[in-house]
Amino acid sequence: MNPILVRPADMVRITTPALAEKYIESQISALREQIGDKKVLLALSGGVDSSVVAALLIKAVGRQLVCVHVNHGLLRKGEPEQVIKVFRDEMNADLIYVDATDRFLDKLAGVTDPEQKRKIIGGEFIEVFAEEARKLDGIEFLAQGTIWPDILESEAGIKAHHNAGGLPEDLSFELVEPVRILFKDEVRVVGKELGLPDNMVYRQPFPGPGLGVRCPGAITRDRLEAVREADAILREEFAAAGLAGKVWQYFTVVPDFKSTGIKNGKRTFDWPCIIRAINTTDVVEVTVEHLEPELIDRLVQRITSEVPGINRVLYDYTPKPPATVEYE
Ligand code: XMP
């Protein structure tokens, strides 16, 4: 049976566990038929789409799936650990974890241009993934978390989705795309039914270049660590306030300038931390989430006292347009 490449016009939107279950069953047999006794490779970022693809393939072909999780050092706090816990420990996946932090950060050192930073991160990612792929024997398939909007956007010429990774020519695999015909909300329903944790299934969007675009200008390890710690505090406080899953996207940015402050009676010269929390349906236009003053006070208190290098917290009240969501 050939995999379905086009979403049938009459396909019922997957909104319930029963519909998700039906989809999962049909995919399991399709995947088994496509893959047979061969091996499949997957770049598992821990994002919704690749996580659901991994969970589906684990159900269908178990350890014939080889997952590679590349930590580029720009992930959020706790993310690599969660990928390892969920997939290797709980689902018994064959997971290769590559901590390439030094490699990425060394290449990015001193690079200020945003596009150049993105290029380095994307290019290095492919390099690392290709190196791991070459070490493996007998891989015939490459799994990808392509979803239906990716196909629609490619067709409309909006985005060039070369998910197939721009992999070097010596690595040519047949593609396996088990969520290709699904919309994002359907991927989440399927993921929930597959038993993935809520914070993975309902994860807010996170750019491929990760915290790299939230550390504007040349990335330094100390400022990157400040972004990561402040982001972790923001996520904790949003979860405690019941805002996680309600606010579309929220994050911190630590810009590359310093201002004067006071800590323990002594003068400091440290970075500010900018908080951005936005809502949208299409990401073309976004509005700003207005936070309760008590929550803002708590965030200011925690971030300035717990994150080394931060002495000031600012809240970004700018919608899109005129501002974009990310800072670069
Ligand atoms: P902007 O900043 O363009 O962001 O208003 C719109 C949405 O896209 C995400 N974003 C990215 N996602 N790679 C990604 O995978 C990127 O380079 C990138 N830049 C922005 C951003 O987080 C927001 O959700």
Side-chain angles (χ1 to χ4, degrees), residues 20 35 56 60 82 122-123 128 156 162 169 204 246 248 253 256 263 300 308 319:
I35 296 160
L56 269 171
Q82 189 186 26
V128 174
H162 30 87
E169 295 213 333
Q204 48 168 325
K246 284 197 184 141
W248 199 78
V253 175
D256 191 11
K263 197 169 197 175
V300 171

Side-chain angles (χ1 to χ4, degrees), residues 118 205 207-209 248-249 283 320 324-326:
R118 274 192 169 75
W248 199 78
Q249 195 173 11
V283 210
K320 173 182 176 178
T324 51
V325 174
E326 304 287 349

Side-chain angles (χ1 to χ4, degrees), residues 13-315:
R13 192 87 167 201
I14 299 171
T15 51
T16 63
L19 288 167
E21 197 51 45
K22 218 171 122 198
Y23 185 80
I24 293 166
E25 291 308 321
S26 74
Q27 277 306 312
I28 287 175
S29 34
L31 287 167
R32 284 184 182 151
E33 203 153 329
Q34 187 186 4
I35 296 160
D37 60 359
K38 305 292 192 300
K39 285 195 158 187
V40 192
L41 184 64
L42 169 72
L44 176 59
S45 67
V48 185
D49 305 333
S50 67
S51 296
V52 172
V53 167
L56 269 171
L57 278 156
I58 290 164
K59 261 204 142 173
V61 297
R63 291 179 69 91
Q64 285 166 249
L65 171 72
V66 183
C67 303
V68 178
H69 179 57
V70 176
N71 179 0
H72 51 25
L74 305 165
L75 297 171
R76 287 175 294 189
K77 188 173 180 175
E79 280 183 339
E81 292 82 359
Q82 189 186 26
V83 168
I84 292 170
K85 177 173 165 284
V86 169
F87 292 99
R88 184 188 280 166
D89 301 346
E90 294 171 10
M91 293 191 180
N92 190 31
D94 186 354
L95 173 72
I96 299 168
Y97 171 63
V98 189
D99 184 354
T101 301
D102 288 340
R103 211 169 136 163
F104 278 82
L105 295 188
D106 289 351
K107 275 225 155 165
L108 287 163
V111 181
T112 53
D113 178 62
E115 285 315 304
Q116 190 61 21
K117 284 168 70 178
R118 274 192 169 75
K119 261 192 203 145
I120 291 173
I121 297 166
E124 199 60 17
F125 189 90
I126 289 169
E127 282 270 309
V128 174
F129 185 67
E131 278 171 26
E132 292 305 317
R134 286 195 190 99
K135 290 183 201 162
L136 301 165
D137 283 327
I139 304 279
E140 294 205 5
F141 296 91
L142 179 73
Q144 293 195 145
T146 315
I147 62 172
W148 192 236
D150 297 338
I151 307 287
L152 297 179
E153 284 177 352
S154 302
E155 280 173 359
I158 298 168
K159 270 192 207 164
H161 273 282
H162 30 87
N163 271 349
L167 277 178
E169 295 213 333
D170 63 304
L171 295 169
S172 63
F173 304 113
E174 187 179 319
L175 287 183
V176 174
E177 298 180 308
V179 295
R180 180 185 165 97
I181 61 168
L182 301 187
F183 287 102
K184 192 83 177 191
D185 54 294
E186 297 179 301
V187 178
R188 293 191 209 275
V189 181
V190 169
K192 178 98 183 128
E193 192 59 22
L194 285 163
L196 291 174
D198 278 3
N199 66 346
M200 219 168 222
V201 171
Y202 301 109
R203 222 172 85 134
Q204 48 168 325
F206 187 59
L211 301 180
V213 294
R214 296 172 183 173
C215 194
I219 300 169
T220 56
R221 288 175 194 246
D222 50 0
R223 198 155 53 91
L224 179 61
E225 227 26 63
V227 180
R228 190 170 0 245
E229 287 301 319
D231 172 81
I233 292 171
L234 181 70
R235 285 189 289 143
E236 250 179 64
E237 290 298 332
F238 265 45
L243 294 175
K246 284 197 184 141
V247 178
W248 199 78
Q249 195 173 11
Y250 44 97
F251 56 87
T252 56
V253 175
V254 177
D256 191 11
F257 74 86
K258 292 187 171 179
S259 69
T260 310
I262 313 164
K263 197 169 197 175
N264 303 326
K266 286 208 177 95
R267 180 182 180 280
T268 60
F269 194 56
D270 281 330
W271 302 296
C273 169
I274 301 168
I275 295 174
R276 187 137 175 78
I278 53 105
N279 291 300
T280 185
T281 46
D282 56 9
V283 210
V284 176
E285 293 190 356
V286 317
T287 57
V288 173
E289 173 78 13
H290 289 202
L291 302 184
E292 295 294 330
E294 295 74 20
L295 177 56
I296 296 189
D297 287 344
R298 202 162 41 253
L299 286 165
V300 171
Q301 203 280 326
R302 281 199 63 191
I303 292 172
T304 52
S305 63
E306 293 176 35
V307 183
I310 302 288
N311 65 358
R312 208 177 276 274
V313 175
L314 314 172
Y315 194 69

